Amino acid sequence: MASIATAATERSSLEGFRRDVIEASMSALVLVDFWATWCGPCKTFTPIIERVVAGYAPRVALVKIDIDRNPTIAGQLRVQSVPTVYAFLAGQPVDAFAGAVGERELKAFIDRLLAAAPPVPGEVEDIGPLVEAALAALDEGAVAEALEMLRELSTEAPERADVAAGLARGLTMSGDAEGALAALDALPEAAKKDAAVGQARAAATLALSAGPVGDLAAARAAVAARPDDPDAAFALANALIAGGERDAASDALLGMIARDREWNEAAAKARLLQLFEAVGLADPWVVGQRRRLSAIMFA
């Protein structure tokens, strides 16, 4: 671990977080001080925490993170106010407190953690917090940022199903469904059976089947002009899927099934089931749509 002066400098990337927090906490207690430039109490607390941690070196190290420059990391750890301090041991957050505390309180906090769980040197095995941060970024729509994280993580842990599934999801969302399938195909056979991998594969396959995002207005106009044409209805459903409009796509496909469930070898039902698998069979939305499908099939 670097000296206290170096460790306390701003960490602007997940790579820095992995190195200076996750890895470092395998051989030391690492305190992560979340702060902001506009925070008055932070300015008072900074010299206290730096002085106290320096007195515990090398058993304790300090990393400071500006929440405005690192919103993903702060959000993953649910930092709601500053200053907030998280303590990491063996790659995991073990305790935390919010607000500026005095030197005596801070020392008591550190002493308790050192006594209860002394750090043990070792290799980094758990990159879980970084994976969770990357997947959270993906869920929040930060696709480019998430892909950068997941590509890096896939290099470090090419056998991890959750990393590959997240990478595939991100590639599909960015328009590279073929790249998504290639990433999943590279997994070991055992990892390919993971539920998240199956869902990511279904999403990529659906994206390829539905085709690129087309002209929705034109597809809707075609259906309006030819309301009894199943080819036009199916084209509209695919365009809606490609455009991410799953509610409207489901409505269109269910309408086709109600009118003629056997059209084109039950293509509408097959596409709807693909959509369900891509979203996730346990998802509440899918559960509701499956009820609608059952009502039509057993009417």
Side-chain angles (χ1 to χ4, degrees):
M1 187 65 191
S3 68
I4 183 65
T6 301
T9 57
E10 181 58 50
R11 305 303 181 189
S12 60
S13 69
L14 281 172
E15 171 58 24
F17 188 83
R18 181 189 67 79
R19 180 184 62 247
D20 297 330
V21 177
I22 304 300
E23 289 187 10
S25 71
M26 305 304 289
S27 57
L29 170 65
V30 178
L31 300 186
V32 183
D33 178 18
F34 289 92
W35 67 288
T37 55
W38 43 262
C39 169
C42 296
K43 297 175 182 178
T44 302
F45 182 59
T46 290
I48 296 175
I49 192 170
E50 289 184 352
R51 182 171 61 251
V52 170
V53 170
Y56 283 90
R59 293 183 300 155
V60 183
L62 174 65
V63 173
K64 294 181 67 65
I65 295 181
D66 183 336
I67 62 169
D68 293 326
R69 296 178 62 185
N70 297 273
T72 298
I73 296 174
Q76 183 62 28
L77 289 172
R78 299 181 181 179
V79 175
Q80 297 181 341
S81 62
V82 286
T84 289
V85 174
Y86 267 86
F88 278 75
L89 273 173
Q92 299 291 333
V94 294
D95 207 344
F97 65 84
V101 301
E103 185 169 328
R104 179 179 299 178
E105 292 88 346
L106 182 57
K107 286 183 177 179
F109 177 80
I110 293 172
D111 289 341
R112 176 171 54 80
L113 290 175
L114 290 177
V120 178
E123 296 296 326
V124 176
E125 296 179 355
D126 184 13
I127 59 171
L130 293 175
V131 176
E132 291 176 6
L135 296 180
L138 189 63
D139 291 338
E140 293 164 5
V143 179
E145 180 185 357
L147 278 175
E148 181 180 353
M149 304 176 206
L150 289 163
R151 285 192 176 102
E152 182 178 326
L153 289 166
S154 67
T155 300
E156 296 185 23
E159 76 291 345
R160 283 192 61 142
D162 53 354
V163 172
L167 178 60
R169 284 175 53 208
L171 289 169
T172 299
M173 293 167 71
S174 67
D176 185 9
E178 291 183 354
L181 291 174
L184 297 175
D185 288 341
L187 280 170
E189 289 302 318
K192 290 179 181 179
K193 299 176 183 178
D194 185 86
V197 170
Q199 185 176 334
R201 184 179 296 279
T205 302
L206 177 61
L208 287 175
S209 300
V213 178
D215 187 342
L216 273 175
R220 287 190 171 102
V223 170
R226 306 189 305 276
D228 295 326
D229 183 352
D231 289 304
F234 196 61
L236 173 59
N238 283 329
L240 291 166
I241 290 171
E245 297 189 30
R246 67 182 188 183
D247 288 325
S250 181
D251 288 345
L253 291 169
L254 286 168
M256 290 185 68
I257 296 168
R259 288 189 296 273
D260 183 1
R261 68 183 66 175
E262 300 302 328
W263 173 80
N264 195 17
E265 299 182 351
K269 180 181 177 183
R271 182 69 85 241
L272 185 61
L273 294 178
Q274 277 187 298
L275 177 58
F276 290 169
E277 189 177 3
V279 174
L281 297 181
D283 188 279
W285 181 84
V286 171
V287 173
Q289 299 303 308
R290 288 181 73 91
R291 290 196 189 100
R292 296 178 66 193
L293 175 60
S294 296
I296 292 172
M297 297 300 294
F298 296 103

